Amino acid sequence: AQSVTQLDSQVPVFEEAPVELRCNYSSSVSVYLFWYVQYPNQGLQLLLKYLSGSTLVKGINGFEAEFNKSQTSFHLRKPSVHISDTAEYFCAVSDLGDYKLSFGAGTTVTVRA
Amino acid sequence: KAGVTQTPRYLIKTRGQQVTLSCSPISGHRSVSWYQQTPGQGLQFLFEYFSETQRNKGNFPGRFSGRQFSNSRSEMNVSTLELGDSALYLCASSLFGQNYGYTFGSGTRLTVV
């Protein structure tokens, strides 16, 4: 079974500063990788996904992530954050043909002015 | 287009009762998944349905069951409720499965007293 580790539970950051959220997963077989964001009292919204091809994936709201197969990592980055980026971010992994997502514990990002 | 609709949004039940939660996916989406979200365990996969067939099931007791109808709408049922079943239950839909990216509903907040 997949195991997903988000290395930081909380990340405080100043507005317009860059942010990186780290994610490692356990399996070395072919996987699909995702980042989701959850705003208070809402469901999850897909930021970006990696299925195959280029290891640098661009998503919505200026986010991007890089897939590193040798390090089994899928770190999320944004070069300049806004107050509205304050939310909880979840990394998720799925094995091919598994039809389920395994989520990390989440990283709470708090953007301060 | 309309998003994923979950009803009801909030529910309070007594231990031992049963509950049915409903999910209407985005029109045209045939895959529906359910997740339980709690502060202690995070996001955990319950089950996934595609064209009325369950393709995968998570590690939950048999008290948790689900089904999908021919119009792709889905329900999940929890019988003999326990205090530990208190959680946010999230439904997500996708065209064919997780690799297309899930759209999540806002969830049903179940409180068992």
Side-chain angles (χ1 to χ4, degrees):
Chain A
Q2 279 286 358
S3 156
V4 182
T5 303
Q6 291 184 240
L7 293 133
D8 305 292
S9 59
Q10 303 212 18
V11 173
V13 58
F14 286 106
E15 193 174 19
E16 297 184 9
V19 70
E20 178 180 77
L21 308 184
R22 297 176 294 167
C23 173
N24 286 90
Y25 62 96
S26 60
S27 174
S28 61
V29 299
S30 296
V31 294
Y32 299 139
L33 297 157
F34 307 83
W35 276 98
Y36 283 86
V37 60
Q38 186 175 33
Y39 300 102
N41 298 315
Q42 293 186 28
L44 280 71
Q45 180 183 6
L46 179 65
L47 282 175
L48 47 78
K49 61 183 178 182
Y50 171 81
L51 304 182
S52 65
S54 173
T55 57
L56 184 62
V57 181
K58 293 193 183 297
I60 63 171
N61 302 339
F63 284 94
E64 63 181 33
E66 186 152 20
F67 168 57
N68 188 318
K69 188 173 183 178
S70 62
Q71 296 187 5
T72 59
S73 69
F74 190 55
H75 300 333
L76 180 71
R77 301 183 184 96
K78 185 170 183 177
S80 176
V81 296
H82 303 292
I83 298 289
S84 59
D85 292 321
T86 295
E88 190 160 20
Y89 293 79
F90 292 94
C91 179
V93 178
S94 177
D95 289 331
L96 269 62
D98 202 16
Y99 307 119
K100 74 174 188 182
L101 297 175
S102 297
F103 284 92
T107 298
T108 300
V109 173
T110 304
V111 182
R112 301 168 180 166
Chain B
K1 58 182 180 181
V4 177
T5 303
Q6 291 189 246
T7 55
R9 286 295 311 275
Y10 301 92
L11 206 49
I12 300 175
K13 289 286 188 179
T14 304
R15 273 182 302 174
Q17 288 186 313
Q18 74 164 15
V19 66
T20 299
L21 311 182
S22 180
C23 172
S24 294
I26 288 174
S27 178
H29 284 193
R30 294 165 63 187
S31 168
V32 174
S33 293
W34 290 88
Y35 290 82
Q36 182 197 64
Q37 186 175 26
T38 60
Q41 300 297 317
L43 283 151
Q44 293 189 287
F45 170 74
L46 281 157
F47 18 68
E48 191 265 0
Y49 290 90
F50 180 79
S51 293
E52 302 179 70
T53 299
Q54 186 181 86
R55 295 195 294 191
N56 203 346
K57 187 178 189 305
N59 296 322
F60 279 82
R63 301 183 297 106
F64 291 81
S65 63
R67 59 178 175 169
Q68 186 181 33
F69 302 96
S70 58
N71 61 359
S72 293
R73 192 177 69 84
S74 178
E75 289 181 348
M76 66 163 282
N77 183 276
V78 187
S79 62
T80 319
L81 284 165
E82 301 177 359
L83 294 178
D85 297 333
S86 294
L88 180 66
Y89 290 88
L90 292 166
C91 171
S93 76
S94 171
L95 277 170
F96 298 111
Q98 77 279 27
N99 53 318
Y100 287 79
Y102 281 121
T103 300
F104 280 79
S106 297
T108 294
R109 173 77 61 186
L110 172 65
T111 302
V112 182
V113 296

